[in-house]
């Protein structure tokens, strides 16, 4: 799959009609042959999920629902495995670390891989209609947006609502910010599907934001680990993870994001096809959200610079506050 991704040029294909047999999506054979091999596993899973539509609409939410249950099952399995290896059962740090590892392994890693593949196989026109792409690319884009939306719903449910309820805690101030973030990102992706345009803008933002999340979430998990386990290899691993996170986050947010954000914003505002496909107020909201995220990441960018500037010296050790 990786070799196919690195060596296969974008395929020029013509769009064809989607075929349904017994409510199952079936792809035309000629388009299946032209589909890049690297994307076939994603589409195999996507096509295997029975379609469920929002009542009265043609908006499919089946992959969102399937992703929610897939991630929930992974979360419970990881937490049970951690408890078996000595993490305290029912402890807030165990539950939070399990959430971090679930996001890193089962969400961010496959999501960014397939986002990168899809962006490689398309023209980077953030505001244009989805229908301008070949059918297999359209299906990949819908699958990835549904997958990420399912994650947002799962994460809000398990990491805030059920966590606070199980521990008998009141919501904290950061919980409301967390929920607002997930609501905003889900709304961005859902609005792409409603208007049928702007998919590439969302996918570019998702790729840039999520590509550091595997090491970012692992960093939070190791922060919990060094507080619970006084083991040399755990502390050594934490120092490496902290340095890796700080360096990668700084590069993506301080170097890549400003250029990518400027390109996306300019396309949303000035691309004539995008102006025709997306209402102005919606484009304005998207632009505001992109600028807000870039501005809001500045404090963490500064902190990451401090974290990697001193090498492997740990900033957040066993005695640090969350």
């Amino acid at each position: 799959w990786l070799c196919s991704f690195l060596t296969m040029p974008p395929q020029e294909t013509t769009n064809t009609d989607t075929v349904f047999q017994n409510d199952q999506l079936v792809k035309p054979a000629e388009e299946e042959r032209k589909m890049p091999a690297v994307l076939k596993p994603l589409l195999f899973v996507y096509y295997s999920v029975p379609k469920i539509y929002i009542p009265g609409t043609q908006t499919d939410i089946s992959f969102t629902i399937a992703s929610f249950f897939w991630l929930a099952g992974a979360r419970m399995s990881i937490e049970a495995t951690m408890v078996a290896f000595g993490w305290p059962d029912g402890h807030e740090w165990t539950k939070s670390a399990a959430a971090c590892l679930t996001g890193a392994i089962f969400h961010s890693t496959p999501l960014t891989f397939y986002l990168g593949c899809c962006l490689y196989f398309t023209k980077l026109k953030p505001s244009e209609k989805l229908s301008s792409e070949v059918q297999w690319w359209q299906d990949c884009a819908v699958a990835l947006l549904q997958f990420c939306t399912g994650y947002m719903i799962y994460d809000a449910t398990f990491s805030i609502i059920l966590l606070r309820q199980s521990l008998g805690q009141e919501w904290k101030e950061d919980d409301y910010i967390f929920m607002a973030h997930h609501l905003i990102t889900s709304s961005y992706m859902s609005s792409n599907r409603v208007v049928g345009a702007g998919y590439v803008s969302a996918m570019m933002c998702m790729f840039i934001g999520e590509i550091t999340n595997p090491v970012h979430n692992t960093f939070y998990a190791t922060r919990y680990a060094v507080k619970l386990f006084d083991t040399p290899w755990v502390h050594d691993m934490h120092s490496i993870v902290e340095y890796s996170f700080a360096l990668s986050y700084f590069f993506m947010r301080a170097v890549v994001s400003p250029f990518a954000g400027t390109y996306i914003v300019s396309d949303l505002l000035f691309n004539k096809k995008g102006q025709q496909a997306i209402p102005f107020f919606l484009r304005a909201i998207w632009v505001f959200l992109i600028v807000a995220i870039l501005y809001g990441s500045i404090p963490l960018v500064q902190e990451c610079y401090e974290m990697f500037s001193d090498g492997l010296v740990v900033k957040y050790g066993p005695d640090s506050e969350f």
Side-chain angles (χ1 to χ4, degrees):
W1 300 346
L2 182 58
C3 290
S4 299
F5 167 63
L6 294 175
T7 60
M8 184 182 297
Q11 300 288 329
E12 293 294 336
T13 64
T14 57
N15 210 337
T16 57
D17 293 331
T18 300
V19 178
F20 287 89
Q21 293 180 0
N22 298 325
D23 293 331
Q24 296 296 315
L25 195 60
V26 180
K27 302 310 298 172
E30 63 271 20
E31 190 145 315
E32 179 72 20
R33 287 196 298 270
K34 296 177 181 179
M35 185 190 306
V38 71
L39 296 175
K40 289 184 178 181
L42 170 63
L43 290 177
F44 173 79
V45 176
Y46 176 62
Y47 296 151
S48 299
V49 178
K51 300 302 170 187
I52 301 174
Y53 299 94
I54 296 176
T57 73
Q58 290 298 313
T59 303
D60 172 36
I61 57 172
S62 57
F63 207 60
T64 299
I65 297 172
S67 299
F68 172 88
F69 284 106
W70 154 253
L71 292 164
R75 161 74 174 268
M76 290 184 285
S77 298
I78 287 180
E79 184 174 343
T81 302
M82 292 171 64
V83 170
F85 278 88
W87 286 70
D89 189 10
H91 198 285
E92 180 179 0
W93 293 351
T94 303
K95 293 180 179 293
S96 297
C100 292
L101 294 177
T102 301
I105 299 170
F106 294 99
H107 174 249
S108 296
T109 299
L111 178 66
T112 51
F113 175 76
Y114 281 113
L115 282 171
C117 294
C118 285
L119 293 173
Y120 174 79
F121 288 114
T122 189
K123 298 176 182 178
L124 297 179
K125 299 295 183 182
S127 60
E128 292 193 4
K129 290 184 177 181
L130 180 65
S131 58
S132 65
E133 300 288 348
V134 294
Q135 189 63 47
W136 54 259
W137 197 95
Q138 294 182 41
D139 295 337
C140 285
V142 172
L144 291 173
L145 263 62
Q146 285 206 55
F147 179 50
C148 194
T149 303
Y151 172 79
M152 296 298 172
I153 298 172
Y154 142 79
D155 201 30
T157 302
F158 278 79
S159 298
I160 300 296
I161 299 173
L162 295 182
L163 177 65
R164 298 299 175 218
Q165 183 179 11
S166 65
L167 298 174
Q169 297 177 344
E170 297 291 333
W171 281 33
K172 303 176 182 178
E173 181 180 350
D174 287 348
D175 294 341
Y176 293 97
I177 299 174
F178 181 95
M179 295 292 281
H181 166 269
H182 283 31
L183 178 61
I184 289 169
T185 53
S186 297
S187 300
Y188 193 143
M189 293 182 288
S190 298
S191 61
N192 292 149
R193 301 187 64 199
V194 171
V195 299
Y199 277 69
V200 174
S201 72
M203 293 169 71
M204 291 178 68
C205 292
M206 290 160 61
F207 181 79
I208 294 170
E210 291 284 347
I211 196 169
T212 57
N213 270 4
V215 68
H216 192 170
N217 283 336
T218 304
F219 163 64
Y220 283 123
T222 57
R223 281 184 65 182
Y224 292 115
V226 295
K227 288 179 171 292
L228 294 171
F229 302 100
D230 189 19
T231 308
W233 72 266
V234 172
H235 291 260
D236 292 340
M237 180 177 65
H238 175 62
S239 65
I240 296 172
V241 171
E242 182 181 274
Y243 180 82
S244 301
F245 156 66
L247 189 62
S248 61
Y249 189 90
F250 178 85
F251 175 76
M252 291 304 300
R253 294 303 176 103
V255 180
V256 177
S257 291
F259 292 101
T262 300
Y263 174 70
I264 296 170
V265 166
S266 62
D267 189 86
L268 289 172
L269 292 177
F270 305 113
N271 186 311
K272 292 184 179 180
K273 292 183 179 179
Q275 292 174 359
Q276 296 172 355
I278 308 169
F280 173 77
F281 78 93
L282 189 56
R283 288 185 286 120
I285 292 173
W286 291 355
V287 168
F288 171 77
L289 294 177
I290 293 170
V291 173
I293 289 173
L294 289 173
Y295 179 78
S297 64
I298 291 176
L300 187 53
V301 168
Q302 295 173 333
E303 186 177 8
C304 285
Y305 177 77
E306 298 172 359
M307 290 165 64
F308 75 76
S309 296
D310 57 5
L312 295 177
V313 177
V314 174
K315 179 176 182 178
Y316 292 100
D319 300 325
S320 64
E321 294 291 336
F322 282 106

